Amino acid sequence: MKITAWPRAARDAKGEGMDPIQLSPGARVHLHACGEEGIFVNAYLVETDSGVVAVDATLTVSTGRALRARLEALGKPLLGVLVTHPHPDHVAGLAELVSDDALPIFATDPVVALMRRLEAPKRAQWGPVFKDEWVPRWRYPNRIVADGEVVTLGGVAFRVHDLGRGGDSDANAMWVAAEAAFVGDLVFDGVHAYLADGGVLAWLANLERVARMGLARLFPGHGPPGAPAELIPRQRDYLLAYAAHVKELAGGRGALDDAGRAELARRMDAHRPGAGLAFLVGMSADAVAAELARGG
């Protein structure tokens, strides 16, 4: 597996030394952006007057410990964790971040259920790649929340929206606070997107849903935070371009051959020059081809 670097300054700095982003009076968001070793995933620490709220975690043992060190440097207690979706780069590091079994970790029921189904197959798939860096046993959310429920931590109210299928996972949620949203992998920026679970049309529909919510800022799972008017069109454009190329190259079949995958990689590299995680382009091709062959 070759992971291409994400050249943005925000990634290079891993969020360290960057000014926190004001979320609301008394609440600031610290970006923790992993490097190549953590497949460029973001976790967030929302610092309040009384403590810190984490949104998602990281992938590996080392990146999980780095996030923990970042938390400890703030000198305030961890009040809770909010989870957007169950992919390992967002949840495996919970085992390193959280040491107290009683600390509340919030997620929707579909996210927890899929996380339980994914742990063993993801370990089998990626454990041999990451070796000792793979987190051997995941820590699970212990507070189940329903769509629309509000969780208040450190004086900040976070409302969860269950998006269902239609991000890079079959179970997606986003957390909204003060006209900003932590959207997980609904948005990728600066890297190629993971589409191997399919659901391109549902993903496009969720982008439109979020675009209509009147939010001021998005905190994505990969890439720097930004305005919805910037990030959503770029993600929409990526998905449409990817689907169009797959449709043409598959010719109605539910999979691409090796030559088709190579051509898809060339086209998407031209579409997003220098974007990281280029290995995802070929990995996702058959799932998208199968969805398109079924007529969506």
Side-chain angles (χ1 to χ4, degrees):
M1 178 184 70
K2 177 177 174 53
I3 301 178
T4 305
W6 173 30
R8 288 178 176 264
R11 202 288 303 160
D12 293 337
K14 299 189 179 181
E16 297 172 8
M18 296 176 61
D19 291 335
I21 297 170
Q22 201 72 28
L23 181 66
S24 63
R28 299 161 298 282
V29 180
H30 301 266
L31 165 67
H32 186 81
C34 294
E36 182 178 22
E37 74 284 1
I39 63 172
F40 310 124
V41 72
N42 292 338
Y44 295 95
L45 299 174
V46 182
E47 181 187 5
T48 74
D49 293 338
S50 60
V52 180
V53 181
V55 183
D56 285 344
T58 60
L59 174 64
T60 65
V61 171
S62 293
T63 58
R65 291 174 180 172
L67 179 59
R68 179 73 193 187
R70 189 87 182 278
L71 165 69
E72 292 172 348
L74 295 177
K76 296 179 179 180
L78 182 61
L79 304 175
V81 184
L82 312 176
V83 176
T84 63
H85 69 291
H87 280 170
D89 51 331
H90 294 263
V91 300
L94 289 170
E96 296 293 338
L97 176 65
V98 178
S99 57
D100 181 359
D101 290 342
L103 187 98
I105 304 173
F106 299 89
T108 63
D109 187 62
V111 166
V112 177
L114 184 54
M115 185 177 168
R116 293 192 182 281
R117 294 199 300 272
L118 286 177
E119 182 177 7
K122 291 296 184 183
R123 182 190 302 117
Q125 179 183 13
W126 294 109
V129 176
F130 287 92
K131 300 182 172 60
D132 291 343
E133 280 293 324
W134 188 258
V135 176
R137 185 175 180 181
W138 291 0
R139 178 181 286 275
Y140 284 83
N142 52 21
R143 302 288 194 279
I144 303 300
V145 289
D147 180 44
E149 189 169 339
V150 175
V151 173
T152 301
L153 297 167
V156 179
F158 299 88
R159 184 183 297 274
V160 67
H161 295 261
D162 186 349
L163 300 177
R165 195 176 194 215
D168 76 343
S169 168
D170 284 341
N172 301 275
M174 70 176 189
W175 293 87
V176 175
E179 298 186 348
F182 298 87
V183 296
D185 285 356
L186 184 69
V187 171
F188 289 70
D189 196 33
V191 297
H192 291 281
Y194 175 86
L195 294 94
D197 289 349
V200 173
L201 295 181
W203 194 335
L204 288 165
N206 273 337
L207 287 173
E208 296 308 309
R209 173 183 173 182
V210 174
R212 294 194 303 268
M213 291 178 68
L215 298 165
R217 188 185 299 271
L218 301 182
F219 294 96
H222 299 262
E230 298 172 352
L231 295 180
I232 289 177
R234 283 206 291 269
Q235 184 65 54
R236 182 193 300 120
D237 172 76
Y238 183 94
L239 295 176
L240 290 173
Y242 190 97
H245 291 312
V246 168
K247 179 177 174 62
E248 179 184 345
L249 293 167
R253 300 183 302 274
L256 269 66
D257 57 21
D258 289 343
R261 262 185 288 275
E263 176 61 15
L264 177 64
R266 187 195 67 77
R267 293 184 186 186
M268 292 309 296
D269 181 64
H271 190 74
R272 287 287 191 272
L277 304 185
F279 73 96
L280 293 178
V281 175
M283 178 185 292
S284 303
D286 287 354
V288 176
E291 180 181 358
L292 295 174
R294 293 192 302 269

